[in-house]
Amino acid sequence: MSSKLAPAKPGKTKTQPDSERYFFEGPDPVTWIHIRGTVHHFELPRQLVTITLGSAESCDIVVPSQYVSRHHLTIERRHGGIRIHDHSKNGTYIDARRIGDDRDIRAGQGFSAGAASFIALNDEMARQYALLSDLIDWETSTELESQSSRFATPCDAIEIASGVDHLMIAGDVGCGQAQLAEAIHAMSPLRGRPLVRVDSIPVDRGAQKELLARAARATMVLAIGDEMPVMDDAFRSSLFALSYRIRLIVLAWPRRARAVLGEDRSNMQRLDLRPIAYREHVQIERLLDRQLEARGCALRLAHMTETNRSALLRYSWPRNFDDLKLAADRLAAIARAGSLRKAAAALDEHASKVQHWFTNQLGLELPLNAAG
């Protein structure tokens, strides 16, 4: 008796319906290699088909390490991704497993060579990296309310973005949860589809169905506020149904998410954003300097008087990035105007309000800079 399967009936090959094609369909090549735990990434030379990585100066990407071979591996462009060819003594690993001679890598996937770890990026991931490094405190790690909680790294966000699993982003007011959700969507395979933002669930069944249809095969960002009621069973079942294929990104602390979604539906990937006040001083200084730079202001914390610099680094930043942006707006205006009264006029604010914020709230004094 033959073990072959019976031939299928002849007929035309069916075209996949548009409703089933929801992943990003544009060109999505790996264009950068980022070194985990650092701010360094290398752009893969566009004119080269193969790129060498190793400790030798002759390599296209030089990684000075005694655990990285002189010519550790070769990166070969393959369609939308890259193929890694290992030539090393210590090996190249993916997910803690040593690869054989070669292995394909896609954007958002990591690998390690010796003691160095890397992640492959496409153009959109590289474009979002500066924002990720601002929003995410990647130098420290602390437990929150449960053992499953963790503070993210930019590479965590990139790896999560490369898939389509549901995600919870937790953090205090002003920590940039909505911005991070938008960045996740912009890097994801669903970025060719619209981003649907939701602050409240309609009660009307027809409106609920319209919302689900709008978010189908796309990303829905659901901000769960304190007043959001418990989600009804019918809508919750549809929201998580495979037929809609919605990627849900919830902005809430886990306890609140469980209250609205139910215990069984709140178990999803999670990223925690660390409040500004609990970050290292070097990070706060970098964040505020970047905000000032974005406003075309030459003022920097390193140039300020010690009193002013210390006051800014001691401040609690209760509204996190909202407070950072406010400080950058006012400090930039003060640096340009030279006085609080003129700065308040330029900002169209009351002088007494700016004076109270400057002197009483932050404990600053004029002149701002040590050089006057």
Side-chain angles (χ1 to χ4, degrees):
M1 180 182 292
S2 173
S3 61
K4 292 183 180 180
L5 295 174
K9 293 182 179 180
K12 292 184 178 180
T13 301
K14 291 184 177 181
T15 302
Q16 187 180 24
D18 288 339
S19 62
E20 298 298 321
R21 296 200 301 266
Y22 63 99
F23 288 101
F24 183 68
E25 295 180 348
D28 197 27
V30 173
T31 50
W32 298 80
I33 299 295
H34 178 78
I35 304 179
R36 289 176 178 272
T38 75
V39 296
H40 305 297
H41 44 261
F42 301 94
E43 184 174 13
L44 302 180
R46 312 257 171 164
Q47 72 278 11
L48 298 180
V49 176
T50 59
I51 299 101
T52 56
L53 182 151
S55 58
E57 291 292 333
S58 57
C59 289
D60 299 308
I61 298 176
V62 180
V63 181
S65 169
Q66 60 180 326
Y67 302 107
V68 175
S69 299
R70 289 180 55 79
H71 181 193
H72 198 103
L73 58 87
T74 299
I75 299 170
E76 177 190 1
R77 296 187 185 279
R78 297 280 295 185
H79 308 296
I82 56 175
R83 177 167 290 179
I84 302 292
H85 299 271
D86 180 54
H87 317 293
S88 68
K89 176 181 178 181
N90 288 328
T92 300
Y93 293 79
I94 297 175
D95 298 329
R97 293 183 179 181
R98 185 167 184 166
I99 69 172
D101 294 332
D102 55 53
R103 179 76 177 271
D104 289 337
I105 300 285
R106 57 176 173 77
Q109 193 170 9
F111 65 95
S112 60
S117 294
F118 306 87
I119 187 169
L121 309 179
N122 58 29
D123 282 335
E124 191 58 40
M125 292 170 179
R127 189 177 299 116
Q128 296 289 340
Y129 194 87
L131 174 63
L132 296 179
S133 63
D134 279 353
L135 295 177
I136 298 174
D137 173 30
W138 56 273
E139 292 184 350
T140 57
S141 178
T142 304
E143 287 296 316
L144 282 182
E145 60 181 289
S146 73
Q147 291 183 350
S148 63
S149 68
R150 60 172 181 157
F151 290 113
T153 71
C155 289
D156 288 333
I158 289 169
E159 286 185 330
I160 288 172
S162 65
V164 291
D165 293 331
H166 301 310
L167 171 66
M168 183 187 306
I169 302 177
D172 291 344
V173 173
C175 280
Q177 296 94 316
Q179 282 182 289
L180 180 56
E182 291 173 4
I184 294 285
H185 174 71
M187 296 184 292
S188 79
L190 301 175
R191 63 185 182 274
R193 301 282 297 172
L195 176 67
V196 179
R197 301 172 181 83
V198 181
D199 294 314
S200 62
I201 304 299
V203 177
D204 178 73
R205 291 295 185 197
Q208 288 182 356
K209 289 181 179 179
E210 182 181 343
L211 173 60
L212 291 168
R214 189 156 47 95
R217 301 171 304 282
T219 301
M220 177 190 287
V221 177
L222 177 62
I224 297 181
D226 292 337
E227 304 303 320
M228 182 173 285
V230 176
M231 196 176 289
D232 68 76
D233 291 339
F235 181 81
R236 182 173 59 226
S237 297
S238 297
L239 179 61
F240 289 94
L242 293 177
S243 56
Y244 282 104
R245 301 190 183 185
I246 296 171
R247 183 188 202 178
L248 181 64
I249 300 181
V250 174
L251 310 182
W253 285 108
R255 187 179 293 112
R256 187 69 195 127
R258 287 194 293 269
V260 173
L261 298 175
E263 186 75 37
D264 59 327
R265 296 298 186 182
S266 62
N267 184 20
M268 55 184 69
Q269 292 189 82
R270 176 176 163 190
L271 296 176
D272 294 334
L273 298 184
R274 190 175 176 83
I276 300 296
Y278 293 98
R279 300 193 183 194
E280 300 292 334
H281 283 177
V282 65
Q283 292 178 315
I284 297 174
E285 185 166 350
R286 177 176 60 84
L287 289 172
L288 191 49
D289 281 351
R290 285 168 71 94
Q291 292 287 341
L292 290 166
E293 182 182 9
R295 288 155 178 76
C297 179
L299 181 68
R300 298 291 182 269
L301 263 69
H303 303 148
M304 291 186 181
T305 64
E306 186 56 36
T307 297
N308 288 336
R309 183 175 178 277
S310 297
L312 287 168
L313 294 178
R314 285 197 311 268
Y315 186 58
S316 61
W317 307 102
R319 298 188 306 140
N320 295 291
F321 281 95
D322 293 340
D323 277 342
L324 275 177
K325 292 172 183 176
L326 176 67
D329 286 338
R330 289 176 172 174
L331 289 172
I334 293 167
R336 293 188 182 104
S339 76
L340 299 183
R341 181 179 58 82
K342 291 179 180 179
L347 294 168
D348 196 24
E349 295 190 68
H350 290 294
S352 59
K353 183 177 181 180
V354 175
Q355 174 73 55
H356 176 78
W357 170 84
F358 186 84
T359 305
N360 301 103
Q361 195 170 332
L362 266 71
L364 302 175
E365 59 186 28
L366 290 175
L368 290 172
N369 281 354

